[in-house]
Amino acid sequence: MVVTRKLPDSVETRMRELFDTRLNLDDTPMTPAAIAEAMADADVLVPTVTDRIDAHALGHAGDRLKLIANFGNGVDNIDVTAALQRGITVTNTPGVLTEDTADMTMALILTVPRRLIEGATLMTGDKPWTGWTPTWMLGHRISGKRLGIIGMGRIGQAVARRARAFGLQIHYHNRRRVPLKIEESLEATWWESLDQMLARMDIISVNCPHTPATYHLLSARRLKLLQPGAYIVNTARGEIIDENALARMIESGDVAGAGLDVFEHEPAVNPKLVRLARAGRVVLLPHLGSATIEGRVDMGTKVIINIQTFMDGHRPPDRVLPSML
Ligand code: 8YV
C-alpha cells in the first residue's frame, strides 16, 4: 500500500502495524510520474487532495490495484468513473470533518463582515493604533441577515446550526429539498432556483461538492445577481466559483467581499485576490477547513477502516458510488 503524503504519526504507526505500507515521511508532494509508478505496483493507494488521479494516471494502474482509499471527503481529485470502470473501488472520509469545516465556515462568516483580519493586522503593523473613534473601521452586523447556503449536506446543515445561533436567517439551495423535519429544525427556506436565492441574500456560503455539475456554479452571470452588499464564503472547492469574475466584481464594488479557504488552482492563488486581501476586501486562508489534529486522526482512522474492511472481503463503509458524483 502506498500513502502519498505524511499523515499524523498515530495514523502512520497503525497503518504500518496493519499493512505493508510505503509512507511519505518527508511529505514531498509526489510527481505524476511517482504516482504512476506507485499505482503500477500497489494494491491500495491512499491519495489526498493534492494528488491528481485522473484517467491518464489510472492508465498506469497495475492489475493489483483494487482500492483507492482517499484521505479526504471530496473526491474531485480522482476520476472515480474511470477507476470504477477498471474495477477499482474508491472510498473517502465523510462525516469526520463536518464540524471542523463548519466551524471554519462560521469563522469566515464572522471575519469578513466584521473586518477581523484588518483589525488584527493593524495592531501588529508599523504604525501605532491611533485610538477608538465612533465611526472608524465599521463593519456590518451579522444578526438578522440572510444566509444562503449552497449545498445542504452534512456540512451545510452544520453551518446552518451555527449560523442560527448567531441570528442569521437560513436559506438554502440544494439539488434535492432536505426532509421537512430538518428544514423545520433549522427554520430553513429552500430555494429551488439558485438564481432567485442569490439575488436576495446578504451572505452566501458554498458547501457543495465540486463535480462537473457544480464547476463554476457561481459563474460571472450568477455573481451579477448578487446584491452589492453581499459577501461570499467558500470552504468547499475553488472550482465552484469563477474566481476571476469574483475578483473583478469585488474590485468594482459589485460584491462587498469574500472569505475563501479554497482556490481554483491550489496552491496558486489568483494575484487579483491577493491584492484585494492586502486591501482588506477579502480574507484568504490556505485550505484550513479540516485542519485540526483530531480531524486528521479521525480521517486516518476512516481510511484504515475502509482498507481493512476491503481486505477482509467486505464492502468498505465509505464507498464512493456513481450516484454520488
Ligand atoms: C482535506 C478537504 O483536508 O476532505 C476534503 O474534501 O477538502 C480537506 O479538508 C483534504 O481533502 C485532504 O485530502
Side-chain angles (χ1 to χ4, degrees), residues 114-188:
R114 294 303 305 273
R115 306 176 64 177
L116 251 65
I117 304 296
E118 272 177 276
T121 307
L122 188 122
M123 298 304 275
T124 53
D126 298 336
K127 291 187 204 136
W129 177 31
T130 49
W132 187 90
T133 93
T135 54
W136 178 71
M137 265 214 70
L138 304 184
H140 284 280
R141 179 182 293 163
I142 304 297
S143 182
K145 297 285 161 63
R146 284 161 301 197
L147 172 67
I149 298 175
I150 301 177
M152 199 57 143
R154 268 181 281 244
I155 297 173
Q157 289 174 33
V159 171
R161 284 197 297 276
R162 285 158 176 74
R164 275 191 75 221
F166 283 88
L168 283 151
Q169 295 169 27
I170 310 302
H171 298 257
Y172 76 97
H173 170 78
N174 200 53
R175 271 178 306 177
R176 280 181 299 273
R177 192 168 175 172
V178 301
L180 215 61
K181 236 180 146 168
I182 297 177
E183 246 183 36
E184 277 168 10
S185 73
L186 298 169
E187 291 179 79

Side-chain angles (χ1 to χ4, degrees), residues 48-49 71-74 97 237 287 290 296 299:
T48 75
V49 68
F71 182 88
N73 198 19
L97 34 75
R237 283 292 183 270
H287 201 141
S290 72
R296 293 287 153 83
M299 286 162 76

Side-chain angles (χ1 to χ4, degrees), residues 255-300:
V255 169
L260 306 173
D261 185 43
V262 286
F263 304 91
E264 253 193 273
H265 305 288
E266 285 180 27
V269 181
N270 189 319
K272 284 185 207 146
L273 289 175
V274 176
R275 272 202 303 278
L276 287 166
R278 290 202 179 109
R281 310 277 300 283
V282 304
V283 171
L284 308 178
L285 294 177
H287 201 141
L288 292 181
S290 72
T292 67
I293 180 64
E294 294 88 346
R296 293 287 153 83
V297 170
D298 290 349
M299 286 162 76

